Amino acid sequence: MPVIQCPDCGKSLRVNDTTIGKRVRCPGCENPFVVPDAPVVELAEVEEEEEEERVKPRPRSRRPREKVEEDEDPSPRRPRRRKRNDDDDGVSYSSAPLIYGILSCVLSCSLLIGWYFAFKAINGANQEMDRLPGGKRSHNARKQLQLAKTLGVVGMCLSGVLCVIAIILKVVNAN
Protein backbone atom coordinates (compact mmCIF):
# COMPACT_ATOMS: atom_id res chain seq x y z
CA MET A 1 0.00 0.00 0.00
CA PRO A 2 1.55 3.28 -1.01
CA VAL A 3 1.71 6.14 1.45
CA ILE A 4 1.09 9.64 0.13
CA GLN A 5 0.95 13.11 1.57
CA CYS A 6 -1.97 15.52 1.14
CA PRO A 7 -0.78 18.51 -0.95
CA ASP A 8 -2.90 20.94 1.09
CA CYS A 9 -2.48 19.94 4.76
CA GLY A 10 0.54 17.60 4.52
CA LYS A 11 -1.20 14.71 6.29
CA SER A 12 0.23 11.25 5.57
CA LEU A 13 -2.29 8.82 4.13
CA ARG A 14 -2.27 5.16 3.11
CA VAL A 15 -4.05 4.49 -0.16
CA ASN A 16 -4.91 1.35 -2.12
CA ASP A 17 -3.09 0.58 -5.33
CA THR A 18 -6.40 0.96 -7.16
CA THR A 19 -6.69 4.64 -6.20
CA ILE A 20 -3.51 5.73 -7.98
CA GLY A 21 -4.43 8.36 -10.56
CA LYS A 22 -7.91 8.81 -9.12
CA ARG A 23 -9.41 11.78 -7.35
CA VAL A 24 -9.76 11.34 -3.55
CA ARG A 25 -10.74 13.57 -0.63
CA CYS A 26 -8.36 14.07 2.30
CA PRO A 27 -10.04 13.09 5.59
CA GLY A 28 -8.09 15.79 7.43
CA CYS A 29 -8.79 18.93 5.39
CA GLU A 30 -11.62 17.60 3.18
CA ASN A 31 -9.91 18.94 0.02
CA PRO A 32 -9.97 16.72 -3.09
CA PHE A 33 -6.77 15.85 -4.95
CA VAL A 34 -5.46 13.30 -7.47
CA VAL A 35 -3.35 10.44 -6.04
CA PRO A 36 0.11 10.61 -7.66
CA ASP A 37 1.81 7.59 -9.29
CA ALA A 38 4.77 7.40 -6.90
CA PRO A 39 4.50 7.52 -3.12
CA VAL A 40 5.59 10.86 -1.70
CA VAL A 41 6.32 9.82 1.89
CA GLU A 42 8.63 7.03 2.97
CA LEU A 43 7.09 4.28 5.10
CA ALA A 44 9.61 4.84 7.92
CA GLU A 45 8.47 8.46 8.31
CA VAL A 46 4.84 7.39 8.46
CA GLU A 47 5.39 4.89 11.28
CA GLU A 48 6.83 7.66 13.46
CA GLU A 49 3.83 9.92 12.96
CA GLU A 50 0.35 9.39 14.41
CA GLU A 51 -1.99 6.75 13.05
CA GLU A 52 -2.83 7.25 9.39
CA GLU A 53 -6.27 7.15 7.88
CA ARG A 54 -7.14 5.28 4.74
CA VAL A 55 -8.48 7.28 1.85
CA LYS A 56 -11.38 5.93 -0.15
CA PRO A 57 -11.93 7.05 -3.71
CA ARG A 58 -14.66 9.63 -4.02
CA PRO A 59 -17.80 8.08 -5.53
CA ARG A 60 -18.45 9.18 -9.06
CA SER A 61 -21.68 10.88 -9.93
CA ARG A 62 -24.20 8.83 -11.87
CA ARG A 63 -24.17 10.98 -14.95
CA PRO A 64 -21.08 12.77 -16.23
CA ARG A 65 -21.05 16.53 -16.10
CA GLU A 66 -20.99 18.34 -19.38
CA LYS A 67 -18.05 20.62 -19.92
CA VAL A 68 -19.10 24.17 -20.70
CA GLU A 69 -16.75 26.37 -22.67
CA GLU A 70 -15.99 29.79 -21.23
CA ASP A 71 -17.73 31.62 -24.10
CA GLU A 72 -20.96 29.66 -23.79
CA ASP A 73 -23.57 30.22 -21.12
CA PRO A 74 -24.56 27.11 -19.24
CA SER A 75 -27.98 25.82 -20.14
CA PRO A 76 -30.66 26.83 -17.63
CA ARG A 77 -31.35 24.10 -15.14
CA ARG A 78 -34.79 22.73 -14.74
CA PRO A 79 -36.28 23.64 -11.34
CA ARG A 80 -36.61 20.73 -8.96
CA ARG A 81 -40.04 19.52 -8.07
CA ARG A 82 -41.17 19.96 -4.52
CA LYS A 83 -41.55 16.64 -2.73
CA ARG A 84 -45.18 15.98 -2.11
CA ASN A 85 -46.23 15.49 1.45
CA ASP A 86 -48.82 12.74 1.90
CA ASP A 87 -50.83 14.93 4.26
CA ASP A 88 -50.74 17.92 1.90
CA ASP A 89 -53.44 17.46 -0.72
CA GLY A 90 -52.93 20.89 -2.33
CA VAL A 91 -56.41 22.15 -1.47
CA SER A 92 -56.83 25.08 0.88
CA TYR A 93 -59.71 25.19 3.31
CA SER A 94 -60.46 26.66 6.70
CA SER A 95 -59.95 24.64 9.86
CA ALA A 96 -62.41 26.85 11.78
CA PRO A 97 -65.35 24.41 11.40
CA LEU A 98 -63.28 21.66 13.03
CA ILE A 99 -62.37 23.97 15.92
CA TYR A 100 -66.01 24.98 16.34
CA GLY A 101 -67.02 21.30 16.35
CA ILE A 102 -64.53 20.52 19.10
CA LEU A 103 -65.69 23.54 21.13
CA SER A 104 -69.32 22.50 20.75
CA CYS A 105 -68.53 19.11 22.31
CA VAL A 106 -66.38 20.55 25.09
CA LEU A 107 -68.78 23.36 25.98
CA SER A 108 -71.96 21.33 25.58
CA CYS A 109 -72.78 21.68 29.29
CA SER A 110 -73.93 25.20 28.52
CA LEU A 111 -76.95 24.94 26.24
CA LEU A 112 -76.61 28.20 24.29
CA ILE A 113 -72.83 28.09 23.91
CA GLY A 114 -72.86 24.42 22.80
CA TRP A 115 -75.65 25.05 20.28
CA TYR A 116 -73.91 28.19 18.97
CA PHE A 117 -70.61 26.41 18.29
CA ALA A 118 -72.41 23.38 16.85
CA PHE A 119 -74.32 25.61 14.43
CA LYS A 120 -71.08 27.40 13.42
CA ALA A 121 -69.33 24.05 12.87
CA ILE A 122 -72.09 22.55 10.71
CA ASN A 123 -72.74 25.72 8.73
CA GLY A 124 -69.00 26.45 8.21
CA ALA A 125 -68.29 22.88 7.11
CA ASN A 126 -71.13 22.99 4.57
CA GLN A 127 -69.87 26.28 3.14
CA GLU A 128 -66.29 25.01 2.88
CA MET A 129 -67.43 21.77 1.21
CA ASP A 130 -69.27 23.79 -1.44
CA ARG A 131 -66.01 25.62 -2.26
CA LEU A 132 -63.90 22.47 -2.64
CA PRO A 133 -63.05 21.23 -6.12
CA GLY A 134 -64.05 17.72 -7.09
CA GLY A 135 -61.66 14.84 -7.53
CA LYS A 136 -59.05 13.04 -5.50
CA ARG A 137 -57.16 16.14 -4.44
CA SER A 138 -59.88 17.29 -2.06
CA HIS A 139 -60.41 13.90 -0.42
CA ASN A 140 -58.52 14.75 2.81
CA ALA A 141 -60.25 18.13 3.03
CA ARG A 142 -63.66 16.52 2.68
CA LYS A 143 -62.84 14.02 5.41
CA GLN A 144 -61.80 16.77 7.82
CA LEU A 145 -64.88 18.89 7.07
CA GLN A 146 -67.12 15.85 7.51
CA LEU A 147 -65.49 15.31 10.89
CA ALA A 148 -66.28 18.94 11.79
CA LYS A 149 -69.94 18.39 10.87
CA THR A 150 -70.07 15.20 12.93
CA LEU A 151 -68.54 16.92 15.95
CA GLY A 152 -71.07 19.75 15.56
CA VAL A 153 -73.97 17.28 15.58
CA VAL A 154 -72.51 15.44 18.58
CA GLY A 155 -72.06 18.73 20.44
CA MET A 156 -75.63 19.75 19.63
CA CYS A 157 -76.98 16.40 20.85
CA LEU A 158 -74.92 16.58 24.03
CA SER A 159 -76.25 20.08 24.72
CA GLY A 160 -79.80 18.86 24.20
CA VAL A 161 -79.36 15.79 26.40
CA LEU A 162 -77.73 17.79 29.18
CA CYS A 163 -80.52 20.37 28.96
CA VAL A 164 -83.18 17.63 29.30
CA ILE A 165 -81.30 16.12 32.27
CA ALA A 166 -81.12 19.54 33.93
CA ILE A 167 -84.87 20.08 33.45
CA ILE A 168 -85.67 16.61 34.85
CA LEU A 169 -83.47 17.19 37.88
CA LYS A 170 -85.07 20.57 38.49
CA VAL A 171 -88.57 19.06 38.34
CA VAL A 172 -87.60 16.16 40.62
CA ASN A 173 -85.97 18.46 43.18
CA ALA A 174 -88.96 20.86 43.13
CA ASN A 175 -91.29 18.10 44.36
Side-chain angles (χ1 to χ4, degrees):
M1 266 188 162
V3 178
I4 61 167
Q5 199 170 25
C6 175
D8 292 326
C9 68
K11 185 171 183 149
S12 299
L13 309 165
R14 287 184 192 252
V15 293
N16 291 333
D17 293 331
T18 58
T19 58
I20 293 176
K22 293 185 180 177
R23 190 175 179 96
V24 295
R25 187 175 298 270
C26 173
C29 63
E30 298 290 323
N31 288 328
F33 64 95
V34 176
V35 177
D37 292 338
V40 177
V41 180
E42 295 296 323
L43 189 57
E45 293 176 14
V46 175
E47 291 174 355
E48 294 173 3
E49 294 182 11
E50 358 175 303
E51 183 179 306
E52 300 83 14
E53 297 182 38
R54 288 190 177 182
V55 179
K56 296 178 184 174
R58 198 170 82 174
R60 295 186 180 215
S61 61
R62 293 184 180 169
R63 58 180 180 188
R65 292 185 179 182
E66 298 175 6
K67 292 184 180 180
V68 179
E69 294 182 18
E70 294 176 11
D71 297 339
E72 295 179 16
D73 288 335
S75 59
R77 292 188 177 183
R78 200 172 65 186
R80 292 186 176 192
R81 287 186 175 180
R82 184 176 70 99
K83 287 186 178 178
R84 185 169 178 203
N85 188 355
D86 291 338
D87 297 334
D88 181 19
D89 54 6
V91 177
S92 63
Y93 56 94
S94 175
S95 60
L98 185 61
I99 294 169
Y100 290 142
I102 293 169
L103 286 174
S104 72
C105 290
V106 172
L107 301 173
S108 62
C109 56
S110 173
L111 177 68
L112 293 176
I113 294 174
W115 277 67
Y116 172 75
F117 282 122
F119 174 75
K120 294 277 284 181
I122 294 168
N123 194 25
N126 285 333
Q127 288 176 355
E128 288 290 327
M129 280 185 147
D130 290 340
R131 287 190 208 133
L132 288 178
K136 282 186 169 181
R137 294 182 55 127
S138 62
H139 180 70
N140 289 341
R142 287 192 191 285
K143 285 186 352 185
Q144 184 172 348
L145 291 171
Q146 189 62 42
L147 176 64
K149 282 173 64 173
T150 304
L151 286 174
V153 170
V154 168
M156 194 176 284
C157 291
L158 280 174
S159 293
V161 167
L162 290 175
C163 179
V164 168
I165 291 173
I167 291 172
I168 291 172
L169 287 176
K170 187 141 187 144
V171 168
V172 169
N173 285 339
N175 291 332

